[in-house]
Amino acid sequence: MSSVLENVIDRMVADWKRRGTLAGLKRIPAREARPAEWPDATPPVLVEAFRRRGIERPYVHQAKAAGLAMARRDCVVVTPTASGKTLCYNLPVLKAILEDPSSRALYLFPTKALSQDQLAELEEVIGGTGATIKAHTFDGDTPDDARRAIRAAGQVVVTNPDMLHQGILPHHAKWARLFQNLKYIVVDELHTYRGVFGSHLANVFRRLKRVCRFHGSDPTFVMCSATIANPRELAEKLVERPVELVDENGAPSGEKAFLLYNPPVVDQALGIRRSYIGETRRIAEELLKADVQTIVFATSRLNTEVLARHLKDRFERMPQDAGRIRAYRGGLLPNTRREIERELRAGTVRGVVTTNALELGIDIGALDACVIAGYPGTIASMWQQAGRAGRRQGLSVAVYVARSEPMDQFLAAHPEYFFGRSPEHGLVNPDNLSILVEHLKCAAFELPLADADVFGPPGVREVLDVLAERKILHRVAGKWHWASQVYPADTVSLRSVNNENFVIMDISRGNRVIAEVDYSSAPSTVYPEAIYLCESQSFHVTHLDYAQHRAYVKPVDVDYFTEAITNTSVRVIDIFEHAAEPGATREHGEVHVAWRVSGFKKIRFATRENVGYGDVNLPDQEMQTTSYWLTLDPTMLDGLGHDRADLLDGASGVAYLLHHLAPFLLMCDRRDLHRCVGDTEAEWFAVQQERIGRVREVRTPKGDVPLASFAAFRPSIFLYDSAPGGVGFSQALYELHPVLLARARELLEACPCEAGCPSCVGPANETGGKAKVVASAILAALTAGTPVAAPR
């Protein structure tokens, strides 16, 4: 296969160089193993068990991490995909149980699928020892009779944060044997615990440590992460105690070719490039034609289904070819996902198109090629996805296909930024009030909260008093007791701030449930008249029932899909920090956000062209969160010599650019932040004129009014956290303000388009013909005296 793949790579590189679309190429050489000796305290039976699995000696990072864990020191291991991180925690855990069978360990993986996968590997090692060690998964699929047995005798409990939160901690009395003897807590894929999810998990760990103290144990944390800029900081923020860092990788790897592909420009004036979805399809087809087993990562469920549909049309033309191409994403039923994983390992599925659902370490076999359709949100994720292709010997290839968006074009212009060390930080905010309050309720349900308890920041006492006033808690003898009839953990989702999901029901099959979508995504995904894609099949949304959280759909045969159009307004509630900057005031604080899905666009599958619009009438969504914003100085704007419509176009272009670049500086997805251009009192806000593509009016609570009707014109550019209460992204942007503006100015000046494009300030037909010129002038004024920084 290596020679076949080498030929495919050579053809691609030669063709892309000739066309000028090869943005970057790096040959990552094969890496030799760096073994170490087994830690001194390793039992011989364990050494022999690992040798039976082909592990003669541990790698240097495995030996160091296992040694730290055996010494009962918290640690975090940071090495690439497929570097053998599981041995780092399996070794000390099994040693503890072999020496003292009453010892217990708790394994946490972010998904049920990964839990099942890792349990299988653990059981192979246990089998090699000849000992009877009871390791079990405990999740929502575990039968009731098995649950009782696991609580009574499970020595290694493999679960996920959601089950720990809802199924174990609230019933800790039933788990007394686990918590009394808990020696190790293993936390895998640590880098995924950031933003809202990570902020929730930090509070779950507060509760976990509190329950452990109650039962008399003090377990050691062993954590594993992909490469990020602050693994130790993130780990210490999550567990709130000192952590040792292990980041010296000793695992071998085969050679990998990493190609960065930038689709060709098809309209120089408008800066429009050929569709990255179409180019991804073409590249995947070339690999699949050579029978190279390939995984394709897309940035959304919609694109996953669109790409899978294209590839199925190409490679499943005969009945015997059915199932060669599959789509894998969240929202599919668990049995479907397990079936795809098995068929990937068996090799019967030759191509899989997936969201980041397969980014983590689920065993899908050793694939040979990976195609990444668009920047996945972080450089750490890009390396994780690329790592899904490749073996410890032999050649593999990863191809990144850039979109027209600023983040992608920045990478295409600066491949050294990607191939260098990841600059991203994992951010969490455990003290987010919306999240903290919910976990205080859960903690009080588990054990009464005393005045002396440490749970969260100073000032928690005030929160407890408010909960007592609302009859949720009851204070007796210096302790707050749970007083409500509601089971608190059941109403708190770790993955979002709202726990309510919408189910998708197919009315053509007796209202059969085919998928589900989270509450916050429902208005923009399953609004009436939307086209919803599931397993490459198009469904027309006939009705959205908000009260019952149901979307009713029916299968249709159409050549287009739909995208929602959303309008947003922001009002400042409180200012936490502010600073005068050249041409603007920079601020960070609390804001009220209101948004509504007002319509949708119809986009043809084959050409990606806009073929129609529709109106949507859904209720407003509201929240309070934190934001970073820039209020532009009227004097500066007047000096630019443009009318208000052009100035608003330029401000909207700057907002577009900052929003797309911000995730480079934060370890977050672009969807973790939203943007808005308006005034700080929410008297008006800019709205995209979907059918006109020109901003001459702004929207107000009383309707659309001309820009000229306002006496003062001080537009503000808001970048706000998409999670209620905020998780720290906006504060980080406030602090990174100079770097963010400098990078934006650099990218805008380097963009070759004439009047704006998706790679800089947005498409010219949506932002206005002068948007790029005005945005350039605004950024020049905002960065006066600041040299343009080179990418690090």
Side-chain angles (χ1 to χ4, degrees):
M1 176 56 69
S2 288
S3 60
V4 172
L5 184 55
E6 187 71 70
N7 290 335
V8 174
I9 294 170
D10 288 344
R11 286 200 305 271
M12 286 179 173
V13 170
D15 182 45
W16 299 350
K17 281 183 176 179
R18 180 174 57 82
R19 297 173 181 269
T21 56
L22 183 66
L25 168 62
K26 188 175 180 66
R27 285 272 188 169
I28 302 170
R31 186 177 57 241
E32 295 293 327
R34 296 176 55 217
E37 298 302 321
W38 293 100
D40 293 338
T42 306
V45 66
L46 269 181
V47 173
E48 183 58 30
F50 282 113
R51 280 178 176 161
R52 287 177 182 175
R53 301 192 70 242
I55 303 172
E56 291 294 325
R57 295 163 66 192
Y59 303 130
V60 288
H61 64 279
Q62 293 172 328
K64 182 177 179 180
L68 288 169
M70 289 177 183
R72 304 304 302 273
R73 292 162 68 183
D74 299 329
C75 64
V76 57
V77 186
V78 186
T79 54
T81 305
S83 57
K85 289 191 279 284
T86 53
L87 186 145
C88 299
Y89 47 80
N90 282 342
L91 176 56
V93 166
L94 294 178
K95 171 185 177 294
I97 295 173
L98 287 170
E99 294 176 349
D100 177 7
S102 69
S103 297
R104 298 291 187 266
L106 183 66
Y107 283 26
L108 294 175
F109 298 97
T111 65
K112 288 192 291 185
L114 193 53
S115 297
Q116 296 280 357
D117 192 69
Q118 292 298 313
L119 176 65
E121 182 170 343
L122 175 62
E123 287 177 332
E124 287 185 17
V125 181
I126 292 172
T129 67
T132 301
I133 296 176
K134 296 175 181 177
H136 305 279
T137 56
F138 187 86
D139 55 35
D141 300 329
T142 306
D144 288 341
D145 55 345
R147 294 186 181 204
R148 288 190 290 272
I150 295 168
R151 285 195 293 263
Q155 293 164 293
V156 180
V157 178
V158 183
T159 188
N160 54 70
D162 310 85
M163 200 64 187
L164 174 63
H165 157 61
Q166 293 182 327
I168 297 178
L169 289 177
H171 310 290
H172 63 89
K174 296 180 180 179
W175 292 86
R177 187 167 296 180
L178 170 73
F179 288 116
Q180 288 167 0
N181 300 284
L182 191 58
K183 298 293 193 299
Y184 291 101
I185 298 171
V186 172
V187 185
D188 199 13
E189 307 290 355
L190 184 82
H191 62 284
T192 65
Y193 301 121
R194 58 187 192 268
V196 172
F197 193 15
S199 302
H200 274 295
L201 187 65
N203 281 283
V204 172
F205 284 158
R206 286 170 172 169
R207 292 160 49 201
L208 173 59
K209 291 183 295 179
R210 186 167 172 263
V211 166
C212 287
R213 286 194 298 270
F214 175 80
H215 287 279
S217 65
D218 182 21
T220 299
F221 283 88
V222 182
M223 296 165 278
C224 299
S225 173
T227 303
I228 58 175
N230 63 333
R232 176 186 283 165
E233 178 190 342
L234 177 60
E236 291 180 342
K237 193 102 179 203
L238 289 172
V239 303
E240 295 184 318
R241 53 202 222 187
V243 172
E244 299 277 350
L245 175 64
V246 179
D247 60 356
E248 185 181 6
N249 179 30
S253 66
E255 182 185 5
K256 183 184 291 289
F258 208 128
L259 285 64
L260 305 187
Y261 175 82
N262 200 13
V265 174
V266 294
D267 188 320
Q268 185 71 36
L270 296 178
I272 296 174
R273 294 181 179 273
R274 192 176 292 166
S275 164
Y276 81 99
I277 294 293
E279 296 299 274
T280 299
R281 177 187 62 184
R282 186 180 62 78
I283 293 167
E285 285 176 353
E286 188 167 352
L287 291 163
L288 290 166
K289 277 192 297 184
D291 200 30
V292 176
Q293 195 177 19
T294 301
I295 183 169
V296 180
F297 284 97
T299 55
S300 68
R301 293 180 180 184
L302 175 63
N303 286 336
T304 297
E305 295 287 358
V306 170
L307 275 166
R309 178 166 169 160
H310 284 315
L311 293 175
K312 278 178 173 289
D313 289 344
R314 172 66 176 81
F315 291 100
E316 294 186 1
R317 293 175 178 174
M318 304 297 290
Q320 63 268 27
D321 294 329
R324 293 187 71 201
I325 308 296
R326 300 296 297 270
Y328 186 107
R329 60 174 178 80
L332 295 180
L333 299 178
N335 289 344
T336 303
R337 294 200 297 269
R338 301 297 87 76
E339 175 189 305
I340 297 170
E341 292 160 19
R342 288 194 303 271
E343 292 177 352
L344 275 167
R345 289 193 293 270
T348 54
V349 170
R350 301 307 296 166
V352 62
V353 187
T354 179
T355 59
N356 61 0
L358 281 179
E359 180 180 309
L360 304 180
I362 299 168
D363 182 11
I364 54 174
L367 284 71
D368 297 299
C370 169
V371 184
I372 303 170
Y375 182 61
T378 69
I379 288 175
S381 288
M382 197 126 100
W383 281 114
Q384 281 283 101
Q385 292 180 4
R388 296 317 311 237
R391 309 162 192 263
R392 291 192 172 171
Q393 289 90 30
L395 177 66
S396 65
V397 64
V399 181
Y400 163 62
V401 182
R403 297 171 297 183
S404 292
E405 297 187 5
M407 289 188 296
D408 297 71
Q409 290 306 306
F410 185 90
L411 276 183
H414 302 288
E416 72 281 0
Y417 181 89
F418 168 66
F419 291 125
R421 184 172 176 83
S422 168
E424 299 152 338
H425 290 72
L427 299 177
V428 293
N429 180 16
D431 300 332
N432 172 294
L433 189 59
S434 300
I435 294 172
L436 177 64
V437 167
E438 297 302 325
H439 288 280
L440 280 170
K441 294 178 187 177
C442 296
F445 178 89
E446 291 151 7
L447 292 166
L449 285 159
D451 288 336
D453 280 347
V454 177
F455 197 106
V460 164
R461 169 73 183 268
E462 297 176 11
V463 177
L464 297 174
D465 286 338
V466 170
L467 293 175
E469 289 175 9
R470 296 181 180 179
K471 309 300 183 185
I472 296 172
L473 302 183
H474 179 58
R475 181 171 165 80
V476 178
K479 291 185 177 181
W480 282 270
H481 297 255
W482 183 250
S484 173
Q485 298 298 314
V486 179
Y487 175 60
D490 201 37
T491 63
V492 180
S493 168
L494 302 188
R495 313 285 173 150
S496 67
V497 181
N498 194 305
N499 192 39
E500 308 275 351
N501 278 0
F502 280 71
V503 293
I504 316 298
M505 307 180 78
D506 183 358
I507 61 177
S508 71
R509 290 187 285 176
N511 289 341
R512 177 182 172 184
V513 175
I514 61 170
E516 62 180 24
V517 63
D518 62 272
Y519 183 90
S520 60
S521 300
S524 59
T525 307
V526 288
Y527 46 86
E529 306 301 321
I531 297 298
Y532 180 79
L533 293 173
C534 182
E535 284 268 41
S536 305
Q537 169 70 54
S538 297
F539 292 87
H540 175 251
V541 179
T542 61
H543 176 59
L544 179 62
D545 186 338
Y546 252 93
Q548 298 297 321
H549 294 167
R550 295 174 179 174
Y552 296 93
V553 302
K554 63 179 181 182
V556 291
D557 184 14
V558 294
D559 65 348
Y560 68 90
F561 59 94
T562 54
E563 284 187 357
I565 298 168
T566 304
N567 293 327
T568 305
S569 67
V570 178
R571 176 172 56 85
V572 174
I573 298 174
D574 191 13
I575 298 173
F576 302 153
E577 299 174 274
H578 68 95
E581 301 288 342
T585 302
R586 165 176 51 129
E587 293 173 301
H588 164 245
E590 186 177 9
V591 296
H592 174 272
V593 181
W595 75 98
R596 171 188 293 181
V597 176
S598 60
F600 61 89
K601 296 182 283 188
K602 298 179 180 179
I603 300 174
R604 182 162 286 145
F605 280 114
T607 62
R608 310 287 289 186
E609 64 182 312
N610 192 333
V611 295
Y613 293 91
D615 294 321
V616 176
N617 185 22
L618 291 177
D620 281 357
Q621 308 290 311
E622 298 183 40
M623 71 171 177
Q624 289 184 201
T625 187
T626 55
S627 179
Y628 147 79
W629 67 93
L630 279 174
T631 300
L632 303 180
D633 188 333
T635 303
M636 180 272 289
L637 293 175
D638 289 344
L640 299 181
H642 297 280
D643 64 27
R644 286 186 177 184
D646 291 334
L647 291 171
L648 190 55
D649 283 343
S652 298
V654 172
Y656 176 95
L657 184 53
L658 297 182
H659 182 201
H660 284 74
L661 281 180
F664 269 130
L665 306 179
L666 313 169
M667 190 164 187
C668 73
D669 189 273
R670 182 162 54 88
R671 290 164 290 193
D672 293 329
L673 292 165
H674 291 313
R675 70 179 186 271
C676 178
V677 177
D679 82 322
T680 55
E681 298 298 323
E683 290 186 1
W684 63 266
F685 61 94
V687 57
Q688 177 186 334
Q689 302 298 312
E690 298 89 5
R691 295 170 175 78
I692 303 170
R694 190 73 182 95
V695 179
R696 287 292 176 188
E697 295 182 330
V698 292
R699 190 149 294 172
T700 74
K702 296 181 180 180
D704 292 354
V705 300
L707 283 166
S709 63
F710 294 95
F713 181 63
R714 301 187 70 224
S716 294
I717 297 170
F718 295 91
L719 293 180
Y720 59 89
D721 286 43
S722 59
V727 293
F729 296 132
S730 56
Q731 181 177 4
L733 286 177
Y734 177 86
E735 295 167 357
L736 292 166
H737 166 85
V739 179
L740 178 63
L741 290 190
R743 292 234 172 117
R745 181 181 173 186
E746 175 198 4
L747 190 148
L748 188 56
E749 291 177 351
C751 187
C753 74
E754 296 178 7
C757 70
S759 303
C760 57
V761 297
N765 63 340
E766 294 182 9
T767 58
K770 293 185 179 179
K772 182 177 183 180
V773 172
V774 178
S776 297
I778 291 173
L779 282 173
L782 296 180
T783 56
T786 303
V788 176
R792 291 179 295 173

